[in-house]
Amino acid sequence: MLRSAQVQIGCDAIEPSLSFFVKTLGFRVDAIFPADDPDTVMLSGYGMQIRLQRGAARGVEALYLLCDDAQAAAGGQTLLNAPNGVSIHLTAADPPMKVPPARQALVLSRGGDGQWSAGRAGMWYRDLLPDRHGGAFIASHIRILDGGPVPDYVHFHKIRFQTIFCRKGWVRVVYEGQGEPFVMHAGDCVLQAPQIRHRVLESSAGAEVVEIGAPAQHITMADHAMVLPTPERYPDRDFGGQRFVRHIAAQATWEPWRKDGFEMRDTGIAAATSGLAGVRVLRPAEGRNSTAAQQHATEFCLYFVLSGQVTMQTDGESIALAPDDSITVTDTTRYRFVDASADLNLLEVSLPAAFDA
Ligand SMILES: [Fe+2]
């Protein structure tokens, strides 16, 4: 029966390295031999076992020790050098989220380009925002080619904002405190509130989702302790200032959009994030095909064509948009929508939720 595992670290002389690992880093000695002239020391600490071996090649270049407060752990030093040459990196066990300022740009992504790359777990990614707005945002169109169970585990994300919009097919998911697993169909979406535990269970073949997140780079952490679904429901729990949202397209009602000419179904994400972000689906109002011009001081605003056609007219150009095309506008873009087809459905994601124009 296997019991435990050790990493061998070599050294020229036992004593300086042993002293460093015990006195400086806080490891403890589990075994040492031979007694008269030790050449092997077994050390343990922080869930790790080390076999310090005199005469062996160093083998390990670096050790990462995760700390509650990396700055305080070794008197302000975050990189130590062991006598045997191993670099000891002290890093935060629970690193804070870094949010770079947004660098806006008008970014057009054509759905027909076919620029898909293989991601994790059989998923294909189309990057809708290669410039990431300076690292502040990420927008991906994701395809799961093969249907069936998804090899996922209970996890959460350290994020400021994240929404998943089901574009095609269906995806079965489960969220902490939100009851039994449920199926998201095309047109449905969720707000993944910061750090809410969740798991993707299953999908149809060819399912597609659009995922918008902030910041672009964030940490995904597994939660090995939580089992989903949770026995209790807590739909109104606050996760970093946000509530979980499940928006079901089939139950949605339509209301006027902020600009005359289009109407919208609101996903409820504006209310659930206290105005941090808005996610809406737009369509032309009865008998209309255009909107008035607008320009707004939003931090982020992306449109993604779900169905139909529309042209975005800016001061300089006319950009015809077709299904799967997406475009971001900046706070200096003055634009209006024209020539919308009757079957146009346009996803709008913005931060903040409210517009000043
Ligand atoms: Fe996730």
Side-chain angles (χ1 to χ4, degrees):
M1 194 67 156
L2 300 178
R3 247 181 76 178
S4 58
Q6 299 176 331
V7 174
Q8 175 179 278
I9 299 183
C11 59
D12 296 331
I14 286 285
E15 184 43 41
S17 291
L18 172 59
S19 171
F20 175 80
F21 276 92
V22 172
K23 290 182 185 152
T24 305
L25 299 184
F27 280 78
R28 65 177 192 188
V29 175
D30 294 326
I32 182 165
F33 54 88
D36 59 338
D37 181 20
D39 60 18
T40 307
V41 185
M42 298 181 192
L43 297 157
S44 63
Y46 317 111
M48 180 179 194
Q49 296 193 25
I50 291 172
R51 189 181 185 95
L52 193 61
Q53 191 78 54
R54 187 176 69 201
R58 189 201 308 148
V60 169
E61 293 290 327
L63 278 187
Y64 284 79
L65 297 186
L66 309 187
C67 317
D68 292 331
D69 182 348
Q71 288 296 332
Q77 282 181 281
T78 54
L79 175 62
L80 305 176
N81 291 305
N84 60 345
V86 177
S87 304
I88 311 294
H89 298 264
L90 302 169
T91 63
D94 192 12
M97 177 173 67
K98 287 187 190 138
V99 181
R103 266 207 325 267
Q104 296 189 327
L106 194 137
V107 179
L108 172 65
S109 172
R110 291 288 185 195
D113 283 354
Q115 290 178 349
W116 293 85
S117 58
R120 69 180 182 100
M123 294 194 270
W124 289 80
Y125 281 74
R126 179 180 149 226
D127 191 348
L128 301 180
L129 199 60
D131 80 345
R132 304 275 151 87
H133 278 13
F137 294 95
I138 184 163
S140 312
H141 183 184
I142 303 166
R143 258 183 198 160
I144 310 174
L145 291 184
D146 301 319
V150 173
D152 199 11
Y153 44 85
V154 178
H155 69 276
F156 61 98
H157 307 287
K158 290 193 165 186
I159 36 104
R160 177 178 171 224
F161 168 71
Q162 193 173 41
T163 186
I164 311 272
F165 186 95
C166 185
R167 167 90 184 91
K168 280 183 187 160
W170 57 264
V171 185
R172 203 160 71 91
V173 291
V174 61
Y175 286 85
E176 156 188 13
Q178 314 301 322
E180 293 299 310
F182 60 87
V183 172
M184 290 174 70
H185 296 283
D188 296 353
C189 81
V190 290
L191 172 72
Q192 296 199 153
Q195 306 205 19
I196 190 170
R197 273 59 173 168
H198 59 278
R199 184 176 171 185
V200 182
L201 300 170
E202 199 184 350
S203 83
S204 64
E208 295 184 16
V209 300
V210 174
E211 183 178 319
I212 314 287
Q217 285 194 5
H218 59 258
I219 296 179
T220 296
M221 300 185 84
D223 186 334
H224 300 298
M226 186 174 288
V227 176
L228 296 181
T230 48
E232 69 288 14
R233 287 180 85 114
Y234 35 87
D236 294 324
R237 178 172 291 186
D238 184 284
F239 293 92
Q242 302 177 23
R243 267 186 297 113
F244 172 79
V245 171
R246 176 189 175 194
H247 171 76
I248 302 171
Q251 297 173 359
T253 52
W254 292 83
E255 56 190 292
W257 190 43
R258 63 174 183 276
K259 287 287 165 192
D260 188 44
F262 279 9
E263 55 187 14
M264 68 168 183
R265 61 177 163 93
D266 184 73
T267 61
I269 287 174
T273 59
S274 302
L276 173 73
V279 179
R280 308 161 181 107
V281 175
L282 319 178
R283 71 180 184 190
E286 184 75 32
R288 306 288 296 274
N289 70 356
S290 64
T291 67
Q294 57 185 318
Q295 179 181 345
H296 40 77
T298 42
E299 183 188 355
F300 179 79
C301 182
L302 175 139
Y303 295 100
F304 183 102
V305 180
L306 300 166
S307 63
Q309 269 85 32
V310 70
T311 295
M312 178 184 278
Q313 241 173 30
T314 67
D315 284 344
E317 55 187 332
S318 285
I319 305 163
L321 301 172
D324 290 329
D325 289 352
S326 73
I327 191 162
T328 55
V329 294
T330 76
D331 54 9
T332 59
T333 312
R334 185 172 168 78
Y335 66 99
R336 61 193 291 252
F337 290 113
V338 298
D339 297 333
S341 60
D343 61 346
L344 173 71
N345 265 221
L346 192 59
L347 174 66
E348 177 190 72
V349 180
S350 71
L351 275 80
F355 287 72
D356 60 356

